[in-house]
Amino acid sequence: MQIDILTLFPAMFEGPLTESILKRAQEKGLLDIQFHDIRDYTTDKHRTVDDTPYGGGGGMVMMPEPLVQAVEQVRGADDRTPVILLTPQGRVFTQRVAQELAAHPRLILVCGRYEGVDERIRQSVITDEISIGDYVLTGGELPAMVIIDAVARLIPGVLGARWAAEEDSHAMGLLEYPHYTRPPEFREMAVPDVLLSGDHEAVEAWRRREAIRRTWQRRPDLLLTADLSEDEGWFLAELAERDAPMLG
Ligand code: 4FM
């Protein structure tokens, strides 16, 4: 997958994308990330990218010319690639959106700064707007990194073979079950016997139930759309009778 990032701060991406799994993905040729400094697409001697808002009020607005030039040059003739603006006004990013984006061979991510982008940037070159959550950041760079991380790990070969991303909690619509490693007892807290039993079926059943239990307690909203077997449905009904979910 190729990802082009348009930003005023390419240096912000050093570190998160050059360590660990994302570094390996790029070395393996599974992921190719290109940075484009929006300021390189200005034409005035001060390399201006922002201006005051028409109608007054505080703050600055990103000007249309440099950003639209940047998108058009980077995109080239390719008009099937999503051009995604990171903004609190976008559709909310979920595992499902990550899966949708992972199916594209190329993405263009546009990182805004200041109080906003001129509306005509949206009208002319943006094809999709995504928000990573209901809070306001100082720019789209951190959201772009979040999206790259979530999407890259879905590309076949990026995670080890035994680490299939389809089995992830959120891909199943549930929270993750509790995990344990050595030692078998830590500060008088024992690892559940079933995990030491060697009975793989029993382990699977325990993990599903604990995932349902945790989801019921912490994110009952997710259970509205989770795909449960008949047995698991009864287990949930039993849980619901005994403990109320933790709200808030
Ligand atoms: C976005 C600042 C555009 C300025 C932002 C401009 C955000 C979020 C966010 C800040 N992006 N999810 N939440 N962006 O806060 O995606 Cl011009």
Side-chain angles (χ1 to χ4, degrees):
M1 166 177 281
Q2 183 183 340
I3 302 180
D4 292 280
I5 304 173
L6 278 61
T7 172
L8 288 169
F9 299 102
M12 277 186 75
F13 293 83
E14 285 164 27
L17 304 182
T18 53
E19 285 288 349
S20 185
I21 291 170
L22 296 184
K23 176 184 184 182
R24 190 81 45 84
Q26 291 172 90
E27 288 168 354
K28 286 202 245 175
L30 297 170
L31 180 63
D32 173 17
I33 305 175
Q34 304 285 336
F35 300 98
H36 308 276
D37 188 335
I38 296 163
R39 215 174 280 282
D40 292 342
Y41 296 84
T42 55
T43 51
D44 66 314
K45 79 163 188 235
H46 294 109
R47 311 217 317 147
T48 314
V49 293
D50 63 325
D51 204 342
T52 53
Y54 276 121
M60 298 295 274
V61 174
M62 255 171 117
M63 298 160 54
E65 294 94 333
L67 192 44
V68 168
Q69 269 301 320
V71 170
E72 286 179 344
Q73 284 213 28
V74 166
R75 187 181 54 195
D78 164 14
D79 60 355
R80 289 152 65 110
T81 291
V83 179
I84 304 167
L85 179 68
L86 292 315
T87 164
Q89 298 157 53
R91 61 189 174 122
V92 176
F93 190 62
T94 60
Q95 191 64 28
R96 185 185 292 272
V97 176
Q99 284 161 350
E100 175 197 319
L101 298 182
H104 289 273
R106 187 182 182 201
L107 302 173
I108 299 175
L109 303 180
V110 178
C111 306
R113 280 269 150 181
Y114 313 109
E115 277 54 65
V117 302
D118 187 289
E119 191 62 19
R120 294 162 296 182
I121 294 170
R122 290 193 161 86
Q123 291 172 340
S124 51
V125 293
I126 300 299
T127 66
D128 195 4
E129 299 186 30
I130 293 178
S131 165
I132 63 159
D134 292 336
Y135 36 79
V136 182
L137 303 169
T138 56
E141 285 78 10
L142 289 167
M145 287 184 246
V146 166
I147 286 170
I148 291 167
D149 194 281
V151 170
R153 63 190 289 291
L154 299 178
I155 299 169
V158 167
L159 299 183
R162 296 202 49 202
W163 250 87
E166 312 87 72
E167 288 185 26
D168 286 347
S169 56
H170 268 294
M172 302 193 312
L174 296 173
L175 300 184
E176 198 69 39
Y177 53 78
H179 295 267
Y180 294 90
T181 184
R182 280 174 292 199
E185 191 171 315
F186 174 72
R187 299 193 178 174
E188 298 184 349
M189 293 177 282
V191 173
D193 284 333
V194 63
L195 298 179
L196 308 173
S197 70
D199 181 343
H200 298 299
E201 255 180 60
V203 168
E204 249 345 278
W206 180 86
R207 285 179 170 167
R208 278 288 292 188
R209 286 180 167 223
E210 292 308 310
I212 293 165
R213 185 196 309 282
R214 186 155 280 189
T215 307
W216 167 251
Q217 285 170 345
R218 301 186 184 189
R219 291 292 306 279
D221 57 303
L222 295 179
L223 290 167
L224 291 171
T225 48
D227 190 13
L228 302 186
S229 72
E230 192 179 334
D231 260 14
E232 290 168 343
W234 285 111
F235 177 69
L236 174 60
E238 208 176 290
L239 275 180
E241 238 173 75
R242 280 191 283 115
D243 342 86
M246 201 131 90
L247 297 174

